[in-house]
C-alpha cells in the first residue's frame, strides 16, 4: 500500500511540473492498480481464483485511462496522448498481474518473506516436487543400491545409513556426492528435525531434496524454517494438522508416515493415510464459517486450511511411507489417494532386489490394473521371506 501511495503522489506532483502526459498517466495508473491489489489482500493459492484479481484490477485501470483522456481539466494534454503508450502500459500491467497469478501457492501467504519469489521461490520448489508424482522413492545406503533403484524405474532415492540403535545423524557428504555423480534421478538426504545446520550442509552439497526426518530430533520444539532454503523440503506427518503445519513452514512434499521400526507392518500407514484423507473429506463438506473453528482444532493456519478445503486435497504432494514391502502394499496406498510411495532400504535385502523394486514401480504406475498387479506379485514370496512381520 505504501508503494502505491508513493506512485500516486509522484503522479500528482508531476502534473505541476510540465511533465509529459504519458508519465503522469503511467504513475497514477500503476498506483491505483497496486492499491487495489493491496486492499483486496492476498489471493488464495490456486489458479481458479487468480482470474478474479485480473477481472477487478484491469477494468479499474481502464477507468483511470479514460478519465485522463476525457477529463475537461486535462483537455490541453489530449494532443500529447499516445495510443501506443496506452497499449504498451496496458500490456505491461497485464503481464505483471498474469505473472502474479501464476505464482500459485505463494499467494496464499501474507508475509513478504514468503510471498516474495525472489527470496524463497516457494512456487518453483513446489513445481519441482511435482515431477515425483506417481512415482516410487527408495531408501538406499550405497551406490549399488542407488543404481538398482534407478535401473528399475525409481523416481528418486533417499540416501541413508544403516543404524539399528542410537541417533541417526547426517550421512557422510562424500557418499551423497558420489551417488549424485553416478545416478541421474533426484537424490534426497535426511536432516534431523530442527537441525538447520545439517540442512545448510546438504544444500551446499547439492542434494535435490532435504527430508526433515523425525527418525532423529535435534530440536524438540522447533522445525526448520524451510523458506530460508532454496532446496525443497520433505516432511512427515501422521494427521492433517501436522501436515498443514509443515506446509506452512515451507515443505513442498508431505510424507504420511507409518511404521518406523522397519517391521514391514503396513497397518499403521493405512490408518494414518485414511485419517488424513478422511479429515480432508470432512473439511471439504464444511461451511466456510466452520473452517475457522476447524483450523483451531487441528492447530493449523487458516489460510492453508482454506486452500485445502477448496482444492479438496493437500496443497502439496503427499507420499505414503512405512511398512510398504510388496507391490500390493504400494498399489493400496495409491488407491487410497496418495501421490506416490516411499519404500525402505530393507527391500534390497531380498534375493532379487531389482525384481522387487521393479515390481513396486510397476504397481505404483498401474495401481488400478489388477492384471498388472497380479503379474507384479508373481514369484516374489521367496524374495520377501525375510521381511515378514515377527510377532514379539
Amino acid at each position: 500500500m505504501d508503494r502505491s501511495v508513493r506512485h500516486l503522489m509522484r503522479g500528482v506532483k508531476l502534473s505541476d511540473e510540465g511533465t509529459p502526459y504519458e508519465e503522469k498517466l503511467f504513475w497514477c495508473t500503476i498506483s491505483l492498480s497496486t492499491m487495489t491489489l493491496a486492499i483486496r489482500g492476498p489471493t488464495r493459492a490456486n489458479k481458479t481464483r487468480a482470474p478474479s484479481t485480473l477481472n477487478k484490477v484491469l477494468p479499474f485501470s481502464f477507468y483511470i485511462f479514460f478519465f485522463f483522456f476525457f477529463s475537461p481539466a486535462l483537455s490541453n494534454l489530449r494532443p500529447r496522448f499516445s495510443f501506443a503508450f496506452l497499449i504498451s502500459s496496458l500490456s505491461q500491467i497485464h503481464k505483471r498481474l498474469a505473472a502474479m497469478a501464476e505464482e500459485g501457492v505463494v499467494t496464499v501467504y501474507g508475509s513478504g518473506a514468503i510471498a516474495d519469489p525472489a527470496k524463497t521461490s516457494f512456487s518453483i520448489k513446489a513445481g519441482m516436487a511435482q515431477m515425483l508424482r506417481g512415482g516410487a522413492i527408495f531408501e538406499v545406503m550405497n551406490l549399488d543400491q542407488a543404481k538398482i533403484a534407478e535401473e528399475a524405474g525409481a523416481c528418486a532415492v533417499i540416501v541413508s545409513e544403516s543404524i539399528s540403535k542410537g541417533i541417526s545423524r547426517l550421512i557422510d557428504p562424500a557418499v551423497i556426492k558420489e551417488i549424485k555423480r553416478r545416478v541421474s534421478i533426484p537424490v534426497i538426504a535426511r536432516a534431523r528435525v530442527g537441525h538447520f545446520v545439517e540442512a545448510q550442509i546438504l544444500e551446499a552439497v547439492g542434494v535435490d531434496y532435504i527430508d526433515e526426518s523425525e527418525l532423529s530430533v535435534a530440536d524438540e520444539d522447533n522445525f526448520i524454517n524451510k523458506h530460508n532454503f532454496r532446496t525443497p523440503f520433505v516432511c512427515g506427518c501422521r494427521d492433517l494438522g501436522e501436515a498443514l503445519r509443515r506446509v506452512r513452514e515451507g515443505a513442498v512434499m508431505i510424507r504420511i508416515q507409518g511404521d518406523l521400526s522397519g517391521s514391514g507392518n503396513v497397518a499403521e500407514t493405512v490408518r494414518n493415510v485414511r485419517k488424513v484423507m478422511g479429515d480432508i473429506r470432512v473439511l471439504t463438506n464444511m461451511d466456510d464459517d466452520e473452517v475457522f473453528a476447524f483450523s483451531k482444532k487441528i492447530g493449523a493456519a487458516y489460510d492453508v486450511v482454506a486452500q485445502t478445503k477448496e482444492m479438496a486435497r493437500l496443497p502439496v504432494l503427499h507420499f505414503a511411507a512405512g511398512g510398504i514391502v510388496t507391490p500390493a502394499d504400494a498399489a493400496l496406498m495409491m488407491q487410497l489417494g496418495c501421490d506416490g510411495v516411499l519404500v525402505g532400504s530393507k527391500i534390497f535385502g531380498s534375493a532379487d532386489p531389482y525384481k522387487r523394486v521393479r515390481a513396486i514401480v510397476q504397481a505404483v504406475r498401474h495401481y488400478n490394473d489388477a492384471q498388472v498387479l497380479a503379474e507384479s506379485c508373481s514369484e516374489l514370496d521367496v524374495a520377501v521371506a525375510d521381511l515378514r512381520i515377527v510377532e514379539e
Side-chain angles (χ1 to χ4, degrees), residues 55-246:
N55 291 339
K56 290 188 176 182
V57 176
L58 288 181
F60 195 70
S61 302
F62 275 114
Y63 299 154
I64 302 304
F65 275 116
F66 284 108
F67 167 78
F68 276 89
F69 186 76
F70 290 107
S71 173
L74 301 176
S75 57
N76 61 323
L77 296 176
R78 290 176 194 167
R80 302 170 62 185
F81 182 81
S82 170
F83 280 100
F85 176 81
L86 169 62
I87 296 174
S88 175
S89 298
L90 284 175
S91 175
Q92 292 298 322
I93 295 173
H94 183 274
K95 288 180 180 178
R96 175 56 184 156
L97 293 176
M100 292 173 62
E102 289 295 325
E103 286 178 359
V105 294
V106 180
T107 55
V108 76
Y109 305 121
S111 67
I114 297 176
D116 185 358
K119 292 183 179 180
T120 61
S121 59
F122 182 85
S123 59
I124 297 176
K125 294 187 289 186
M128 288 175 57
Q130 292 298 318
M131 70 180 186
L132 303 179
R133 181 189 296 274
I137 302 174
F138 291 86
E139 182 180 353
V140 300
M141 292 182 292
N142 52 55
L143 178 59
D144 293 335
Q145 293 179 356
K147 287 183 176 180
I148 292 174
E150 180 184 25
E151 293 171 0
C155 67
V157 293
I158 293 184
V159 184
S160 64
E161 56 183 351
S162 178
I163 295 182
S164 57
K165 294 181 181 180
I167 298 174
S168 175
R169 293 185 173 87
L170 179 69
I171 192 171
D172 186 353
V175 176
I176 301 174
K177 291 180 179 179
E178 178 64 18
I179 293 177
K180 278 190 62 65
R181 281 196 297 264
R182 303 293 293 275
V183 301
S184 59
I185 57 178
V187 175
I188 307 171
R190 289 192 172 117
R192 284 177 281 175
V193 170
H195 206 314
F196 54 85
V197 175
E198 287 187 349
Q200 292 170 357
I201 294 172
L202 292 175
E203 185 173 65
V205 170
V207 298
D208 298 289
Y209 300 87
I210 299 174
D211 185 344
E212 189 175 12
S213 175
E214 60 273 20
L215 289 172
S216 186
V217 178
D219 191 330
E220 296 180 350
D221 299 320
N222 303 289
F223 282 76
I224 298 173
N225 182 359
K226 303 151 192 65
H227 296 290
N228 292 336
F229 294 84
R230 298 184 304 275
T231 305
F233 269 77
V234 181
C235 288
C237 79
R238 286 181 169 82
D239 55 53
L240 180 60
E242 189 176 6
L244 296 183
R245 288 193 293 273
R246 301 292 85 80

Side-chain angles (χ1 to χ4, degrees), residues 44 240-241 244 275-300 302 304-312:
R44 289 183 183 172
L240 180 60
L244 296 183
K275 180 175 176 57
V276 171
M277 299 304 178
D279 288 344
I280 291 176
R281 286 192 293 271
V282 171
L283 173 62
T284 303
N285 292 319
M286 282 183 179
D287 292 334
D288 291 340
D289 296 339
E290 300 174 320
V291 178
F292 293 97
F294 185 79
S295 301
K296 183 178 180 181
K297 177 182 177 181
I298 66 175
Y302 168 78
V304 186
V305 175
Q307 182 185 6
T308 303
K309 169 180 166 57
E310 187 160 346
M311 297 177 67

Side-chain angles (χ1 to χ4, degrees), residues 313-332:
R313 57 156 293 144
L314 286 177
V316 298
L317 286 183
H318 52 281
F319 277 45
I324 302 172
V325 295
T326 68
D329 293 340
L332 174 62

Side-chain angles (χ1 to χ4, degrees), residues 376-392:
S376 299
C377 293
S378 299
E379 300 179 1
L380 292 178
D381 287 341
V382 176
V384 78
D386 57 336
L387 297 176
R388 296 190 187 281
I389 301 172
V390 178
E391 297 291 345
E392 296 184 358

